[in-house]
Amino acid sequence: MKKFFKNALLCGGLLATITACNTESSIAPLEVSVLAQSTSSRAGLVDEQVLPIGSSIGVTLVDNLADATSYNESVYSNLEYTSTNGLDWNVVGTDVPMLTSTAGKAIAYYPWKDGADYKALAVDILTQYDYMYSEWYSGSGNKNLDNSNPEAKFQMKHVQSAFRINLLKDDSYPLEARVTRIVLTSGSFHTNGIYSAEDGTYSSRTGEGTYTYNFTGEYPVLTTTEQYVDIMVVPATTVPAGNKVNFTVTIQDVNGTKDYVVAPSFETVMEQGTIYEFTLTLWPTEMKAGDVSVKTWDIITNNDENKLVPADLNSGN
């Protein structure tokens, strides 16, 4: 695996990466690599294993001990690491975590937020960020995270679930049809949550399950080929009997605009890191829903050419 975030120390005029200025201990800067199951751009899903250009993650380094709050008595908490290419990561500022022979452990979350606590991270689906967490990394095999093995290899996981809405029109629909808005409501999700990067567990889930996806600019045209929208949500722990997913899709044609309501049954308890895919087809007098399919985030095919854009992802209810 490629090494990320290479730094060096000047010691007595010599460039040193592992050796230190004294013989008692050597030090090395913490290196960071980030892979995801399949990750997101600023908002929305794409099929990549690296975070997009300009991303920031929050990193904390402590001793590899239960309830540790510092590393070698130095506090490295919620440090911002950024990447200009999705591969190489650099810490923002001068507070570079330095590893000694003391075994450490590190944890990461995405996206970074000033003042955040990795044990209580907020999710707000209005942002449509693909919130992620790494769990603790303390080394691999028989190698500790220390100055001889200074790379924290974060495997990021998704804390949300997602609806993928495939939209198309049947050949029998005679007019050009543009989609202007999608309103999603269901008892299967919440709008907000608080989770821990240690294991992705939510400590709270709030907000009734509703989200509005507003398109802006020139509204996209529906065709007989599937085009999709992704909406990420906080999954509910239980769903009511007879639960449905209500899609209200606003269609514009030469006769004006019309709301089509489709409400397929959906009594499934959504799982984190899972996509639930619905296909909605526009017919001359109605819109119909096909069967739901379930996919994990790490096997999604990149269909960006079929993604419905543009959209104002911050205009949800």
Side-chain angles (χ1 to χ4, degrees):
M1 180 178 292
K2 182 181 177 180
K3 293 288 186 180
F4 308 121
F5 180 47
K6 300 291 189 182
N7 264 342
L9 301 173
L10 286 175
C11 181
L14 297 176
L15 187 65
T17 60
I18 297 180
T19 58
C21 299
N22 58 65
T23 60
E24 294 181 359
S25 64
S26 59
I27 56 178
L30 176 69
E31 301 172 6
V32 166
S33 65
V34 179
L35 289 179
Q37 291 172 322
S38 181
T39 187
S40 70
S41 57
R42 181 203 171 279
L45 307 177
V46 296
D47 182 29
E48 299 291 343
Q49 286 192 315
V50 296
L51 293 174
I53 293 173
S55 293
S56 292
I57 62 171
V59 175
T60 294
L61 172 68
V62 298
D63 293 331
N64 191 14
L65 299 170
D67 301 321
T69 58
S70 63
Y71 178 78
N72 264 357
E73 299 183 353
S74 295
V75 177
Y76 300 116
S77 178
N78 196 37
L79 300 178
E80 181 184 8
Y81 277 73
T82 63
S83 176
T84 58
N85 59 10
L87 297 173
D88 303 295
W89 293 84
N90 296 277
V91 67
V92 175
T94 58
D95 190 15
V96 181
M98 304 305 298
L99 292 165
T100 68
S101 58
T102 299
K105 60 181 179 180
I107 197 167
Y109 72 91
Y110 170 84
W112 174 83
K113 184 176 182 180
D114 187 26
D117 178 356
Y118 69 83
K119 294 181 180 180
L121 298 165
V123 176
D124 183 347
I125 72 169
L126 291 187
T127 68
Q128 284 299 286
Y129 279 116
D130 189 351
Y131 296 91
M132 298 188 206
Y133 65 99
S134 71
E135 302 180 338
W136 286 108
Y137 179 87
S138 58
S140 59
N142 59 357
K143 295 181 179 181
N144 293 323
L145 180 63
D146 58 23
N147 57 356
S148 65
N149 185 45
E151 182 182 5
K153 301 176 182 180
F154 294 126
Q155 297 281 346
M156 308 299 284
K157 301 178 181 179
H158 307 274
V159 76
Q160 296 173 101
S161 304
F163 290 95
R164 170 159 288 187
I165 307 166
N166 295 315
L167 289 169
L168 70 159
K169 71 172 186 175
D170 186 76
D171 281 331
S172 61
Y173 191 89
L175 304 173
E176 179 182 85
R178 295 177 179 269
V179 58
T180 68
R181 186 179 69 167
I182 302 171
V183 180
L184 170 67
T185 59
S186 179
S188 56
F189 71 93
H190 298 282
T191 58
N192 298 85
I194 303 293
Y195 77 98
S196 170
E198 293 181 295
D199 56 11
T201 299
Y202 283 95
S203 58
S204 72
R205 310 176 198 227
T206 58
E208 294 183 0
T210 183
Y211 182 81
T212 300
Y213 193 113
N214 287 311
F215 292 90
T216 59
E218 185 176 355
Y219 299 131
V221 177
L222 292 188
T223 69
T224 54
T225 300
E226 290 181 356
Q227 301 175 84
Y228 72 90
V229 168
D230 293 317
I231 298 176
M232 289 169 282
V233 298
V234 175
T237 56
T238 61
V239 297
N243 184 65
K244 297 179 182 295
V245 180
N246 293 278
F247 300 100
T248 302
V249 182
T250 303
I251 298 295
Q252 181 186 80
D253 60 24
V254 293
N255 296 320
T257 60
K258 181 178 179 179
D259 289 338
Y260 292 85
V261 179
V262 186
S265 177
F266 189 63
E267 297 187 57
T268 302
V269 176
M270 302 177 77
E271 297 181 6
Q272 293 171 218
T274 303
I275 289 183
Y276 298 82
E277 187 171 51
F278 294 80
T279 298
L280 308 181
T281 304
L282 178 63
W283 292 73
T285 60
E286 63 181 333
M287 182 168 278
K288 298 179 182 180
D291 294 333
V292 63
S293 60
V294 181
K295 298 180 179 181
T296 54
W297 241 306
D298 56 348
I299 60 170
I300 295 175
T301 300
N302 189 345
N303 288 322
D304 279 352
E305 68 275 13
N306 292 327
K307 193 164 190 175
L308 286 170
V309 291
D312 179 3
L313 293 174
N314 291 314
S315 64
N317 272 343

